[in-house]
Each structure stands twice: as structure tokens, then as C-alpha cells.
């Protein structure tokens, strides 16, 4: 994927790829559910080389779903927070985003209520007028 991103970005993207979710240590631990690898896949040779470099059996694979959701969330949060230079500004942005989400939820509720009130059956309106 890294090569593809570099190719499609025409060298204009400044990207830093890191293995965060499933690591080689996770796979080597043997605690995660594995499955057989499709050795006929066109990417198998590259996958095999990466596995051998990390001292992992190239004939088994682990999907990210094998990781407990809480652990995955924690790893992602830790990685993101490690990149934050200004924690104060980060917290301000976080609170602003939460307030904006709440505003959008409120607006959505108000719009639904308006739509419900304006889509009254014509016969019902006639009955109310009499």
C-alpha cells in the first residue's frame, strides 16, 4: 500500500506509515485467530518477504478484526496523541467538535419534527377545518 500511495501521490504527499493495529509481535504471540494465506494471490511474494523479514510464518494471516476493539481503539488513540504537539489546542478542537456534533443532532431532530408536522394527510386537515 505504501508504494501505491507514493505512486498515486506523484511524490507530493508527505506520508508516514506506521504499523499500529496488528504488529509482528501480535502475530508471533499466537494469541490471535489466524487463517491460511492464499498463496496464489498476486501479492503473496511481497507478503512472504515481509513476513520472513519479521520472522513470521508467511502461510498464516491475521485480520485486524482479531484484535479486541478496546485494544485497537487504545492503540490508535495512543498513536494519534503521540503526534499531537499542542495538547491544549487539541483539547479545544475536541470540545468544539463535540459541540458541533450536538448542534447537528439537535438540528436533525428539529428538521424531522418539522417534516412530520408538514406531511399531515390532506383529509386530516379537512376534518380539522370543519
Amino acid at each position: 500500500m505504501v508504494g501505491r500511495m507514493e505512486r498515486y501521490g506523484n511524490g507530493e504527499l508527505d506520508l508516514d506509515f506506521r504499523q499500529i493495529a496488528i504488529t509482528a509481535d501480535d502475530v508471533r504471540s499466537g494469541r490471535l485467530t489466524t487463517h491460511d494465506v492464499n498463496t496464489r494471490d498476486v501479492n503473496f511474494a511481497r507478503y512472504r518477504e515481509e513476513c520472513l523479514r519479521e520472522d513470521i510464518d508467511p502461510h498464516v494471516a491475521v485480520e485486524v478484526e482479531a484484535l479486541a476493539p478496546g485494544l485497537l481503539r487504545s492503540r490508535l488513540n495512543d498513536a494519534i496523541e503521540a503526534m499531537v504537539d499542542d495538547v491544549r489546542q487539541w483539547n479545544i478542537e475536541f470540545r468544539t467538535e463535540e459541540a458541533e456534533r450536538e448542534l447537528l443532532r439537535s438540528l436533525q431532530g428539529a428538521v424531522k419534527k418539522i417534516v412530520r408536522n408538514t406531511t399531515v394527510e390532506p383529509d386530516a386537515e379537512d376534518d380539522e377545518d370543519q
Side-chain angles (χ1 to χ4, degrees):
M1 181 200 317
V2 175
R4 239 184 306 171
M5 294 297 290
E6 290 170 348
R7 203 169 43 251
Y8 295 136
N10 295 322
E12 296 176 18
L13 299 175
D14 182 22
L15 302 173
D16 180 17
F17 288 89
R18 298 175 190 188
Q19 192 71 34
I20 296 171
I22 301 288
T23 65
D25 288 338
D26 291 326
V27 177
R28 280 192 295 271
S29 76
R31 290 187 301 247
L32 300 176
T33 303
T34 63
H35 62 84
D36 292 338
V37 172
N38 179 1
T39 56
R40 295 182 308 269
D41 186 294
V42 295
N43 296 307
F44 179 72
R46 179 189 49 79
Y47 174 77
R48 182 180 181 281
E49 290 303 314
E50 288 179 25
C51 287
L52 294 175
R53 220 177 8 259
E54 293 289 340
D55 195 29
I56 299 172
D57 180 358
H59 293 91
V60 296
V62 174
E63 300 294 331
V64 72
E65 292 87 3
L67 202 59
L71 181 56
L72 176 59
R73 192 174 304 111
S74 174
R75 287 181 181 183
L76 292 173
N77 283 338
D78 291 348
I80 291 168
E81 288 174 6
M83 291 185 236
V84 174
D85 294 326
D86 186 346
V87 175
R88 182 179 164 280
Q89 184 62 35
W90 173 269
N91 289 329
I92 290 169
E93 297 292 336
F94 180 80
R95 286 191 298 273
T96 301
E97 182 179 343
E98 284 297 311
E100 289 171 348
R101 283 187 183 148
E102 183 57 38
L103 174 62
L104 289 172
R105 281 191 288 270
S106 297
L107 288 171
Q108 182 182 29
V111 168
K112 282 183 180 179
K113 188 175 182 180
I114 291 168
V115 168
R116 264 195 313 267
N117 291 337
T118 58
T119 57
V120 176
E121 294 293 322
D123 291 340
E125 287 180 4
D126 290 342
D127 291 342
E128 288 176 12
D129 292 340
Q130 295 177 4

